[in-house]
Amino acid sequence: MSAQSRTEIALITGASAGIGRAFAQQLAPRCKGMILIGRDADKLASVVAELEHADLSITSLALDLTSTEGLTRVMEAIRQKGPVTMLVNNAGFATHGRFAESDLDMEMAMVNLHCNATLALCRAALPYMKDEGRGVVINVSSVGSFFPVKYSAVYGASKTFLNMFSQALQQEVQADGIRVQCLCPSYTRSDFSSREPLAALDQSKVADELWWNAEDIVAGSLAQLDAEEHAVMCLPDDHNRVLAQRGISAQAAGLA
């Protein structure tokens, strides 16, 4: 991918902050066009202003991907502004607390965003990628998808869905020249962890070695995509890979 010269049109959801913003910044030199999606219009405008010096066309849409209207507008943008050759499904949020006492509407909105929106955008973009004979899909999951996450049960479960979907999808589209990556960040210092639904989470209890910044997470993602041997699952480092493997082993033991 790095050898291609500004031929990409990238669509990035959750592009107004954190990992999504870092993807926009680092993909700009590779792209001739971008479609940036975010809920916060002011933050999204800030990202667009930051990239305006680059020689690329930017379409920005401030909307809610959990709504039918929002999702329809993005799918229409794929049709009108494409062909999208890079799709980054990054938009997401988390909750913290006992599921039995949770806001069910919020939990269902999270599943809708992580799972349904990802499915819809992949389905909209893939036919164009197949016509081009190339493309990249990055679905942003989490290290927390590899083991049960107490007090974030729905978050972890929805991210596990992305793991399985991404691996199966890669098997289906590999012959079409399309790469699928499931990016599994660890704790990332960004707006994500400071939002109201996570107010009850004591971040001081999270070990320092588990914290990353968004720029390094994205750099690792793109470096793996540039490698000749492509793995679907992308974790930030050996420490997190060990944690993920322990989670997988624990699940296997539970099924034995």
Side-chain angles (χ1 to χ4, degrees):
M1 185 172 63
S2 59
Q4 296 174 2
S5 57
R6 299 181 67 84
T7 60
E8 309 292 353
I9 297 178
L11 189 155
I12 305 169
T13 68
S16 58
I19 289 175
R21 183 173 191 151
F23 265 116
Q25 293 167 334
Q26 295 186 36
L27 285 176
R30 306 173 180 228
C31 294
K32 67 177 182 180
M34 281 187 167
I35 305 169
L36 303 180
I37 314 298
R39 292 188 62 178
D40 190 311
D42 291 338
K43 289 182 179 179
L44 193 60
S46 175
V47 177
V48 173
E50 181 181 352
L51 299 177
E52 279 182 339
H53 68 280
D55 182 22
L56 77 163
S57 170
I58 302 176
T59 298
S60 63
L61 297 171
L63 47 78
D64 182 358
L65 279 172
T66 67
S67 71
T68 301
E69 178 186 359
L71 197 55
T72 299
R73 288 178 61 193
V74 178
M75 294 171 71
E76 183 63 15
I78 291 174
R79 187 182 71 83
Q80 292 187 357
K81 303 294 183 179
V84 168
T85 47
M86 294 191 69
L87 172 61
V88 183
N89 287 306
N90 165 71
F93 68 92
T95 58
H96 184 76
R98 295 178 182 275
F99 175 73
E101 302 163 3
S102 67
D103 182 329
L104 183 58
D105 287 340
M106 183 173 291
E107 301 288 6
M108 294 182 72
M110 179 165 53
V111 173
N112 194 13
L113 180 59
H114 294 173
C115 303
N116 295 348
T118 295
L119 294 183
L121 297 188
C122 284
R123 183 61 183 84
L126 282 170
Y128 297 102
M129 293 183 183
K130 292 180 71 173
D131 288 344
E132 291 284 309
R134 65 188 178 91
V136 171
V137 175
I138 300 175
N139 295 323
V140 178
S141 179
S142 169
V143 168
S145 63
F146 293 97
F147 36 80
V149 183
K150 187 178 181 181
Y151 303 133
S152 290
V154 178
Y155 175 81
S158 67
K159 293 298 188 177
T160 301
F161 171 89
L162 292 180
N163 294 1
M164 297 297 105
F165 171 66
S166 298
Q167 292 176 80
L169 184 62
Q170 178 64 97
Q171 294 178 30
E172 294 183 14
V173 301
Q174 186 169 358
D176 299 306
I178 301 170
R179 285 189 169 188
V180 180
Q181 181 187 88
C182 192
L183 175 61
C184 299
S186 184
Y187 289 96
T188 306
R189 299 194 185 280
S190 70
D191 291 1
F192 182 89
S193 56
S194 61
R195 294 173 184 167
E196 184 178 349
L198 294 181
L201 176 63
D202 185 356
Q203 298 183 27
S204 66
K205 293 183 179 180
V206 180
D208 288 342
E209 62 267 22
L210 294 180
W211 285 101
W212 283 70
N213 63 61
E215 291 74 20
D216 288 341
I217 289 288
V218 171
S221 165
L222 298 181
Q224 180 167 306
L225 283 171
D226 287 340
E228 289 187 11
E229 293 188 7
H230 169 61
V232 177
M233 306 306 296
C234 179
L235 289 101
D237 63 6
D238 289 341
H239 179 74
N240 284 279
R241 283 187 281 273
V242 168
L243 287 178
Q245 188 56 52
R246 286 176 180 171
I248 293 170
S249 299
Q251 292 176 51
L255 292 173

